Amino acid sequence: MVLTIYLDLLSQPCRALYITLKLHNLTFETQYLSIEKGEHRTSEFTQNISRFNKLPVIDDDGFKLTESVGILRYLARTKAIRDSYYPQDAKKQARVDEFLEWHHANLRSLCSPYFIRKWILPKFYGKITPADKLNPYFKQMVTCLDNMERLWLNSGLYITGDQLTAADVWAACEIEQLTMTGYDPKIGRPKLAAFLERVRNETNPYFDQAHQQVYKYAELENKNSKL
Amino acid sequence: MVLTIYLDLLSQPCRALYITLKLHNLTFETQYLSIEKGEHRTSEFTQNISRFNKLPVIDDDGFKLTESVGILRYLARTKAIRDSYYPQDAKKQARVDEFLEWHHANLRSLCSPYFIRKWILPKFYGKITPADKLNPYFKQMVTCLDNMERLWLNSGLYITGDQLTAADVWAACEIEQLTMTGYDPKIGRPKLAAFLERVRNETNPYFDQAHQQVYKYAELENKNSKL
């Protein structure tokens, strides 16, 4: 029984899944693909790995699955995932699910459009978005991060209470990547800042391993902005 | 033990959840709220029902939960939901989850921006989006519906095979509402057309009950466009 994960650590859901697998000491093989080079868009990938042309994908002894949150739930049912990380209790699991669904319609939908235009499009495709067109996406991201601080980080050390769950890892990986645009989501958001540090400490060394490229690009962006 | 659902049947996730509850003959009380009148945004709602100010919300004997997909999973663990509708088998459940996650990032994220600008904003707030600004959202919706036809409806009667699952109901409710804008998603998409009809037949009379207002507004839109 071999579990293979196809990923690019420049992708947020790939990082969240990688951290989850490492944190639980699961045995898996890693196939690194480059989104920048379009390695997830080849006809070979479409035919043999996934018709969705997205990462991550897992192949669990022939069962291929996409969508990181769906994969997380599948792993929780079939592998040794800690109960505190994705609880089996109906109500506790519902609280983690509630965040993971909110994540899609908020953190992911409202922060990544800015990230894509500010960082992905210029870097991968040489496409620059003018400042006035970027601005609405920036504002949308700021409001969303304010909502994250206001709605989810008011009680307990983590999103659903005092124990780390998958919700925290998915959130932290999404927010951390914004630093690559030169924006620091921690400034002016003390609860978010403390939360991100807590998730990083609790999941290290895997959090830092997964974010190596993110940190490198964030540092580069900081240096460039000071020139 | 009382299960209450707060909803507005003009909202897609509310309709999907309503159909699910009726289809399984679950006992529940319904609290109808008007999104148009902002009844989900009052301070009473925020304090007593949900700080997210979104619908649907369930209150299961004091346990309040938002996010329709999270609610579906909670109901599948705590109430008599048919196994074929949300399977307990790890791989079958993963296929339903895979679609429900794709739904967020595709059907919902890429079709509702057009729906909101073309229908919600003029109707609820008197705000008209000029045709040239609407156009990119229209194109995005068309591509997404083409992907739905191409990626998900190629094998089997339903999204994950030959049996109706929650994936089908969530998808059909999202797609059906587009008719309110005067656009017919069935034209040029024979598999999608057959699929929508199949889901409607399989879930009636609840599908039609849930879509009463949708049908009314779609008919009105058709009449107006013929004037």
Side-chain angles (χ1 to χ4, degrees):
Chain A
M1 294 278 282
V2 181
L3 174 67
T4 303
I5 169 169
Y6 296 84
L7 55 74
D8 180 340
L9 289 173
L10 266 181
S11 139
Q12 173 271 323
C14 290
R15 290 193 297 275
L17 197 58
Y18 174 87
I19 293 166
T20 300
L21 291 165
K22 295 295 276 185
L23 207 55
H24 291 85
N25 208 16
L26 299 181
T27 306
F28 64 102
E29 287 177 5
T30 315
Q31 294 278 347
Y32 289 97
L33 283 95
S34 163
I35 292 177
E36 183 175 2
K37 291 181 188 156
E39 289 173 357
H40 62 313
R41 297 202 162 272
T42 63
S43 59
E44 195 205 329
F45 185 93
T46 309
Q47 276 167 36
N48 300 329
I49 300 161
S50 168
R51 69 191 187 281
F52 301 109
N53 303 110
K54 286 196 176 172
L55 297 174
V57 183
I58 61 158
D59 182 340
D60 186 25
D61 205 33
F63 181 70
K64 288 174 187 126
L65 187 65
T66 62
E67 293 294 340
S68 69
V69 173
I71 294 172
L72 160 72
R73 291 196 181 97
Y74 171 77
L75 294 176
R77 288 191 301 276
T78 58
K79 317 278 173 199
I81 299 288
R82 278 200 304 267
D83 189 69
S84 61
Y85 192 76
Y86 190 71
Q88 289 310 302
D89 172 79
K91 289 179 184 171
K92 286 183 184 168
Q93 188 175 127
R95 287 282 170 244
V96 177
D97 280 354
E98 185 178 41
F99 177 81
L100 289 170
E101 300 303 316
W102 184 90
H103 180 130
H104 269 295
N106 291 271
L107 271 192
R108 191 139 189 80
S109 294
L110 304 176
C111 295
S112 71
Y114 176 74
F115 175 71
I116 288 168
R117 282 161 185 84
K118 176 74 181 175
W119 197 86
I120 296 277
L121 295 183
K123 163 107 182 111
F124 288 5
Y125 307 101
K127 195 180 157 191
I128 308 290
T129 306
D132 62 320
K133 292 210 168 166
L134 257 182
N135 205 28
Y137 296 103
F138 180 77
K139 281 186 186 166
Q140 181 177 279
M141 172 186 77
V142 167
T143 306
C144 180
L145 292 168
D146 290 346
N147 284 340
M148 178 74 202
E149 169 107 353
R150 183 175 65 86
L151 294 170
W152 292 102
L153 301 172
N154 264 328
S155 55
L157 298 172
Y158 294 104
I159 289 172
T160 67
D162 284 335
Q163 281 196 298
L164 180 95
T165 72
D168 306 301
V169 173
W170 261 252
C173 289
E174 191 77 49
I175 297 169
E176 190 65 43
Q177 76 180 5
L178 302 175
T179 56
M180 290 159 81
T181 68
Y183 178 76
D184 187 345
K186 298 187 196 85
I187 292 176
R189 298 188 188 93
K191 288 175 201 158
L192 184 65
F195 163 77
L196 289 174
E197 203 45 37
R198 216 172 277 134
V199 177
R200 186 184 168 208
N201 288 337
E202 182 89 10
T203 59
N204 256 344
Y206 312 119
F207 195 89
D208 283 354
Q209 275 173 22
H211 286 82
Q212 236 175 326
Q213 288 183 82
V214 174
Y215 295 158
K216 190 187 78 183
Y217 283 118
E219 201 183 341
L220 203 66
E221 182 61 38
N222 272 340
K223 268 188 197 157
N224 287 344
S225 68
K226 281 177 192 150
L227 287 182
Chain B
M1 293 278 282
V2 180
L3 174 66
T4 303
I5 169 168
Y6 297 84
L7 53 74
D8 180 341
L9 288 173
L10 266 181
S11 139
Q12 172 272 324
C14 289
R15 289 193 298 275
L17 197 57
Y18 174 87
I19 293 167
T20 301
L21 290 165
K22 295 295 277 183
L23 207 54
H24 290 85
N25 207 16
L26 298 181
T27 306
F28 64 102
E29 288 178 3
T30 314
Q31 294 279 347
Y32 289 99
L33 283 94
S34 163
I35 292 176
E36 183 176 2
K37 291 182 187 156
E39 290 173 355
H40 61 312
R41 295 201 163 273
T42 62
S43 59
E44 195 205 329
F45 185 94
T46 309
Q47 276 167 35
N48 300 330
I49 302 162
S50 168
R51 68 190 187 280
F52 300 110
N53 302 110
K54 287 199 175 169
L55 297 175
V57 182
I58 61 158
D59 182 340
D60 187 25
D61 205 32
F63 181 70
K64 289 176 186 123
L65 187 66
T66 64
E67 293 293 339
S68 69
V69 173
I71 294 172
L72 160 73
R73 291 196 181 96
Y74 171 77
L75 294 176
R77 289 192 300 277
T78 57
K79 317 276 173 199
I81 299 289
R82 280 202 304 267
D83 189 68
S84 62
Y85 192 76
Y86 190 71
Q88 289 310 302
D89 173 80
K91 287 177 184 170
K92 287 182 183 168
Q93 187 174 130
R95 287 283 170 244
V96 178
D97 280 354
E98 185 177 41
F99 177 81
L100 289 171
E101 300 302 316
W102 185 90
H103 181 129
H104 268 295
N106 293 271
L107 272 192
R108 190 140 189 80
S109 295
L110 304 176
C111 295
S112 71
Y114 177 74
F115 175 71
I116 288 167
R117 282 162 186 82
K118 176 75 182 173
W119 198 85
I120 297 276
L121 296 183
K123 163 106 182 111
F124 290 4
Y125 307 102
K127 196 180 158 190
I128 308 291
T129 306
D132 62 320
K133 293 210 168 166
L134 258 182
N135 206 27
Y137 295 103
F138 180 77
K139 283 186 184 164
Q140 182 177 280
M141 173 186 75
V142 168
T143 306
C144 180
L145 292 168
D146 290 345
N147 285 338
M148 178 74 203
E149 169 108 353
R150 183 175 65 85
L151 294 169
W152 292 102
L153 301 173
N154 263 329
S155 56
L157 299 173
Y158 294 104
I159 289 173
T160 66
D162 283 335
Q163 282 195 298
L164 179 95
T165 72
D168 305 301
V169 173
W170 261 252
C173 289
E174 191 77 48
I175 297 168
E176 190 65 44
Q177 75 179 7
L178 302 176
T179 56
M180 292 160 80
T181 67
Y183 178 77
D184 187 346
K186 298 187 195 84
I187 293 176
R189 297 190 189 92
K191 289 176 201 158
L192 185 65
F195 163 77
L196 289 175
E197 204 45 37
R198 215 172 279 134
V199 177
R200 187 185 167 206
N201 288 337
E202 181 89 11
T203 59
N204 255 346
Y206 313 120
F207 195 90
D208 283 355
Q209 276 173 22
H211 285 83
Q212 237 175 326
Q213 288 183 82
V214 173
Y215 296 157
K216 191 187 78 183
Y217 284 118
E219 201 183 339
L220 203 66
E221 181 62 36
N222 272 340
K223 269 189 196 156
N224 286 344
S225 68
K226 281 174 192 152
L227 288 181

